[in-house]
């Protein structure tokens, strides 16, 4: 018998657009007002409240900065999640993802613990390394950036990002899990040596507050080094926008590495792993395709240059070349997007359930440009018409 399925909803938190699609305007030519961005924020929060009413287990926010073009306008998932927690009773709240190199790790740990405790233990610690260089560069003091298809000459900076990220995660975990802690690494020394305090020098720090409830850590897996790091660290792995063959290979490898690095631990086929699927559900197949196309094309117009399409399979069975801007036909053929009637989308979910033994699923129902009303409708269709068809 399959394990119970936990289902979450993941939103970018973008501005509603009336010109989404493959053609003009260029993404960077849009400029939305502060009022329009704030309107999106309020509707985003309302959508989370609706997710709880519809029975979703979790709601996933984002962390992005400086995006005047309106794709992702939520800069602080922890603050937003605290407000959502005050308006809900059951919904678990995470981020895909808090961009850890953009934070002082101790400040982040304090903020997460505060949100987690105030919510009654509903916080989920989602962590990542970042996507957009203009964000990362301006929000850290250690010269951290990130590589992408746009800036392939940034390989060294990307490696530096990984080092800072992994040290930051160790600091966060030590501070959340221990009464007192210290850390001495390549990029961080905590506490700084020689700090006088009441006749002695500081040897350890104590985080206040620390979690009073257990918490989970989830991280995206998009590269071989991350696939090696995540299971050994005990983090849950999140997979999105990858061909099923690639996901299956990494999904199973995660299980092997987790078992190797946690002697005696028993891990189910879908445990500690999550799949994100983009969905569009309408009354007819044709209506779903028409409804999905502009948002799909806008998504890839925006994110293709950052290398997000490397999870597609090329004609040779290997990952597609960087910078691919896929068509909706390609995305559905590769099962990246589940588009159609409730029955068709349920068949797609069941395919992954059978292939991977999924226990944790998140849907992405708010395509770039969609109204929030449309996204809430998609959540309702999924909860009420799709899930009852999935075994």
């Amino acid at each position: 018998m399959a394990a119970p399925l936990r289902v979450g909803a993941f939103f970018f938190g973008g501005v509603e657009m009336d010109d989404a699609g493959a053609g003009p305007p260029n993404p960077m030519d849009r400029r939305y007002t502060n009022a329009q961005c704030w309107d999106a924020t309020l509707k985003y929060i309302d959508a989370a409240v609706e997710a709880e009413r519809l029975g979703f287990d979790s709601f996933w926010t984002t962390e992005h900065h400086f995006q005047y073009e309106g794709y992702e306008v939520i800069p602080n998932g922890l603050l937003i999640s605290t407000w959502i927690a005050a308006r809900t009773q059951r919904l678990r709240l995470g981020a895909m993802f808090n961009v850890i190199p953009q934070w002082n790790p101790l400040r982040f740990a304090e903020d997460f613990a505060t949100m987690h405790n105030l919510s009654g233990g509903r916080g989920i610690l989602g962590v990542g390394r970042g996507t957009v260089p203009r964000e990362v560069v301006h929000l850290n003091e250690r010269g951290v950036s990130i590589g992408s298809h746009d800036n392939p000459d940034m390989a060294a900076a990307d490696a530096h990002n990984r080092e800072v990220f992994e040290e930051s995660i160790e600091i966060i975990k030590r501070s959340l899990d221990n009464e007192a802690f210290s850390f001495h690494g390549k990029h961080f020394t905590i506490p700084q040596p020689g700090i006088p305090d009441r006749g002695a020098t500081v040897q350890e720090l104590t985080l206040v507050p620390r979690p009073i409830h257990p918490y989970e850590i989830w991280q995206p897996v998009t590269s071989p080094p991350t696939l090696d790091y995540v299971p050994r660290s005990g983090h849950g792995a999140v997979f999105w926008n990858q061909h099923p063959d690639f996901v299956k290979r990494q999904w199973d490898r995660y299980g092997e590495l987790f078992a190797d690095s946690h002697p005696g631990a028993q891990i189910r086929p879908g445990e500690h792993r999550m799949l994100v699927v983009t969905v569009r559900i309408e009354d007819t197949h044709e209506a779903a395709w028409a409804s999905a196309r502009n948002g799909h094309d806008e998504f890839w117009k925006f994110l293709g240059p950052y290398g997000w399409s490397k999870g597609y399979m090329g004609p040779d069975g290997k990952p597609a070349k960087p910078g691919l801007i896929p068509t909706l036909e390609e995305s559905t053929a590769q099962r990246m997007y589940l588009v159609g009637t409730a029955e068709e989308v349920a068949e797609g979910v069941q395919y992954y359930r059978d292939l991977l033994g999924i226990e944790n699923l998140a849907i992405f129902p708010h395509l770039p440009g969609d109204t929030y009303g449309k996204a809430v409708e998609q959540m309702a269709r999924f909860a009420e018409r799709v899930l009852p068809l999935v075994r």
Side-chain angles (χ1 to χ4, degrees):
M1 183 176 179
L5 185 63
R6 296 196 300 187
V7 182
F10 166 44
F11 282 43
F12 273 173
V15 174
E16 298 174 341
M17 301 174 179
D18 59 8
D19 57 0
N26 182 288
M28 305 303 286
D29 288 342
R30 290 195 184 93
R31 180 172 289 276
Y32 289 97
T33 67
N34 185 55
Q36 288 171 305
C37 293
W38 188 245
D39 178 67
T41 302
L42 297 179
K43 290 176 178 175
Y44 186 87
I45 294 167
D46 289 343
V49 175
E50 283 297 299
E52 173 164 280
R53 185 186 67 79
L54 290 165
F56 283 83
D57 171 77
S58 58
F59 188 85
W60 297 82
T61 60
T62 60
E63 182 199 337
H64 287 284
H65 306 265
F66 318 127
Q67 291 197 14
Y68 64 84
E69 64 273 28
Y71 290 109
E72 300 161 307
V73 299
I74 305 298
N76 193 316
L78 297 176
L79 276 177
I80 291 292
S81 292
T82 303
W83 186 253
I84 294 169
R87 295 185 56 188
T88 55
Q89 289 76 47
R90 181 189 52 77
L91 195 67
R92 299 189 309 134
L93 300 162
M96 290 189 186
F97 294 89
N98 298 293
V99 182
I100 298 304
Q102 296 173 182
W103 287 78
N104 176 299
L106 294 179
R107 177 69 74 185
F108 177 83
E110 288 176 341
D111 287 0
F112 172 76
T114 300
M115 183 275 283
H116 188 53
N117 291 349
L118 285 172
S119 70
R122 291 187 281 140
I124 307 170
L125 186 48
V127 298
R129 297 199 302 118
T131 301
V132 185
R134 85 176 112 143
E135 300 180 4
V136 180
V137 167
H138 294 99
L139 289 169
N140 75 90
E141 297 177 353
R142 286 178 166 78
V144 176
S145 185
I146 194 164
S148 72
H149 177 62
D150 251 1
N151 58 350
D153 57 329
M154 296 294 286
D158 194 64
H160 178 54
N161 177 302
R162 188 180 296 278
E163 289 181 355
V164 171
F165 170 84
E166 292 185 2
E167 286 197 13
S168 296
I169 291 296
E170 181 61 28
I171 293 165
I172 290 166
K173 290 162 73 171
R174 288 191 192 186
S175 67
L176 292 175
D177 297 343
N178 296 281
E179 170 69 24
F181 74 98
S182 62
F183 179 85
H184 303 282
K186 178 179 178 181
H187 302 285
F188 296 91
T189 298
I190 298 174
Q192 290 288 321
I195 300 173
D197 191 3
R198 300 174 188 175
T201 58
V202 178
Q203 301 299 311
E204 296 179 310
L205 294 181
T206 295
L207 195 76
V208 179
R210 296 190 307 283
I212 58 175
H213 306 277
Y215 64 93
E216 301 173 2
I217 300 178
W218 290 86
Q219 183 177 343
V221 171
T222 59
S223 68
T226 305
L227 178 59
D228 184 72
Y229 170 79
V230 170
R232 297 185 190 282
S233 300
H235 304 172
V238 181
F239 300 88
W240 189 27
N241 284 321
Q242 296 189 57
H243 188 278
D245 288 0
F246 300 157
V247 175
K248 174 64 172 171
R249 191 178 309 144
Q250 296 179 59
W251 191 276
D252 292 346
R253 182 58 178 159
Y254 174 99
E256 294 169 358
L257 291 172
F258 187 94
D260 288 347
S261 54
H262 298 79
Q266 299 294 317
I267 183 169
R268 297 183 299 274
E271 193 174 7
H272 299 318
R273 284 151 285 183
M274 180 186 303
L275 183 71
V276 181
V277 294
T278 303
V279 300
R280 183 47 51 108
I281 311 146
E282 302 290 357
D283 291 338
T284 68
H285 177 88
E286 293 75 18
W289 275 65
S291 174
R293 190 172 297 278
N294 283 344
H296 169 277
D297 292 351
E298 187 68 44
F299 182 101
W300 289 111
K301 184 169 70 176
F302 168 46
L303 287 171
Y306 294 117
W308 273 46
S309 55
K310 64 184 178 182
Y312 280 69
M313 181 183 285
D316 58 359
K318 298 179 180 179
K321 294 180 180 179
L324 170 71
I325 306 297
T327 64
L328 181 59
E329 286 75 11
E330 290 173 306
S331 294
T332 55
Q334 299 209 15
R335 295 184 184 267
M336 306 285 200
Y337 278 54
L338 304 182
V339 178
T341 64
E343 292 76 14
E344 289 174 311
V345 172
E347 183 277 330
V349 174
Q350 190 66 55
Y351 167 84
Y352 280 114
R353 184 101 154 115
D354 295 339
L355 178 70
L356 305 172
I358 290 172
E359 298 181 17
N360 299 279
L361 177 72
I363 65 166
F364 184 66
H366 189 212
L367 301 178
D370 280 347
T371 67
Y372 281 86
K374 186 65 178 178
V376 169
E377 173 210 296
Q378 288 296 301
M379 288 196 299
R381 286 178 180 266
F382 191 86
E384 296 167 359
R385 303 186 191 184
V386 173
L387 275 182
L389 302 177
V390 177
R391 301 187 304 277

